[in-house]
Amino acid sequence: MRSRMGMLAVVGLGLCLTSCTQVAKGLRAANLGEDANRLAAAAEKVESCDKLKVEPAIQEEYALGSALAIHWAQQSGGLMLSGASEEKLNAYVNTVGRNLAMQSPRPELSWTFGVLKDAENFNALSAPGGYVFVTRRLLQGVDNEAQLAGVLAHEVAHIVLKHALHQYVSVKVSTCKGAAVTGAVVSTVASKVVGASRADGRLDLDSDTGLMGKMVEGTVDAFGKGNRRDEELAADALAVELLLSAGYDPGEYSLLLGKTTGGGGLLANHPSAKDRREQISRLVEARRNNADPLARVDVASLQRPALPAAFAVVGPVKKSTGVAKDAK
């Protein structure tokens, strides 16, 4: 398996070849030798890889999402589903989450919410196809249902806005270009990705575990680099709309963000908690003062429901361990 730096070098060369396609074709037309022919052929293959930049089919989204969901669960010690108390907690989180998802532009997804056993990391994660998880540690830090709803709404927004799918598409394109630049298809996986670039750009992940594993590995690696600042703010903006639609006070979500240190994620390109809270305040104020009475929000009527008895199973509140992770 190539090193990460090696892959970056290959992809960089691929991008160069893309811009040189016409030059290479000209060299071949001028019959300047076999090297020019090989360069032109590689450039054409690289150019073909851009056909992978299409919206994945819903079956492809579900396949990727389910595999990523299994990965997140395994990395976090599994799901809290042992015994009646944990099952009640899981049912509660699903009720809150699905209510928010039904307010979103993608209510038709098979939305699934769960609590991970991880008691160390203040974390929320999501995967394409409607999978949303929160850690036990995060639940120990929320004060009411509105704060929980804010976290879930933010993850729902990432799925609706297809941020992870955009990263997945980039993985497909880079895999294809890597194979094209080397001049040979070095694996069955690469062969299928290159083949998809010559068809409709979509992959049948369910039919090939090797292909599935490679695409999940690449997407998880892309997740580690984090979402862009504008994507995080966009997810917060949509989360505010979902919260208002469901009758929750977004101010409570803002208070929860204030409990985290160092901003909303692990990387420098994430917006700070201060920036996120200021945006939430502006959005709520705009809805409060909206000239359209149907769009205007009565902030005083927004709800901050208490947590149910089932919540006791998460255990006592712990002191913050630092930056809140927000993996997508």
Side-chain angles (χ1 to χ4, degrees), residues 169-254:
V169 168
S170 295
V171 170
K172 289 201 294 186
V173 173
S174 64
T175 300
C176 179
K177 289 186 176 182
V181 172
T182 60
V185 176
V186 296
S187 69
T188 302
V189 169
S191 175
K192 290 192 175 183
V193 175
V194 171
S197 73
R198 297 167 181 164
D200 61 2
R202 293 170 172 173
L203 297 175
D204 182 3
L205 299 179
D206 284 321
S207 68
D208 189 324
T209 56
L211 179 64
M212 171 80 82
K214 179 67 176 178
M215 293 298 101
V216 169
E217 178 185 340
T219 306
V220 168
D221 186 58
F223 282 175
K225 299 176 178 65
N227 290 301
R228 300 192 310 269
R229 173 187 172 87
D230 62 313
E231 291 176 330
E232 288 296 325
L233 291 175
D236 273 347
L238 180 52
V240 167
E241 292 302 313
L242 299 181
L243 290 169
L244 292 174
S245 182
Y248 292 112
D249 180 5
E252 291 298 317
Y253 174 47
S254 180

Side-chain angles (χ1 to χ4, degrees), residues 26 30 33 67 74 108-109 128 144 146 159 170 191 195 220 239 247 249 254 256 261 268 276 295 307 322 324:
Q74 290 175 335
E108 75 284 354
L109 289 179
N144 54 51
I159 294 172
S170 295
S191 175
V220 168
D249 180 5
S254 180
L256 181 65
T261 59
R276 296 175 71 179
L307 297 170

Side-chain angles (χ1 to χ4, degrees), residues 63-80:
L64 176 69
S66 61
L68 285 170
I70 292 171
H71 173 80
W72 299 141
Q74 290 175 335
Q75 292 295 307
S76 302
L79 293 168
M80 289 184 65

Side-chain angles (χ1 to χ4, degrees), residues 17-29 40 43 47:
L17 286 175
T18 300
S19 64
C20 300
T21 300
Q22 296 305 318
V23 174
K25 287 180 179 178
L27 289 174
R28 184 166 61 184
E47 191 173 60

Side-chain angles (χ1 to χ4, degrees), residues 126-137:
S126 56
Y131 294 93
V132 176
F133 300 110
V134 291
T135 62
R136 181 174 191 157
R137 171 65 188 89

Side-chain angles (χ1 to χ4, degrees), residues 105-116:
R106 301 192 74 191
E108 75 284 354
L109 289 179
S110 298
W111 292 93
T112 302
F113 298 80
V115 181
L116 300 169

Side-chain angles (χ1 to χ4, degrees), residues 123-126 150-151 153-155 157-159 161 163-164 167 222-223 225-240 253 257 263-273 275-277 279-280 283 324-328:
N123 203 358
L125 309 100
S126 56
V151 174
H154 179 85
E155 298 303 325
H158 274 302
I159 294 172
L161 297 172
H163 292 154
Q167 293 174 326
F223 282 175
K225 299 176 178 65
N227 290 301
R228 300 192 310 269
R229 173 187 172 87
D230 62 313
E231 291 176 330
E232 288 296 325
L233 291 175
D236 273 347
L238 180 52
V240 167
Y253 174 47
L257 290 176
L266 291 173
L267 303 179
N269 63 333
H270 283 232
S272 67
D275 288 344
R276 296 175 71 179
R277 297 183 71 189
Q279 176 184 247
I280 291 170
L283 292 170
K325 294 183 184 178
D326 183 19
K328 311 307 176 299

Side-chain angles (χ1 to χ4, degrees), residues 122 259-261 319-324:
F122 193 97
K259 293 181 181 180
T260 65
T261 59
K319 292 182 179 180
S320 175
T321 56
V323 179

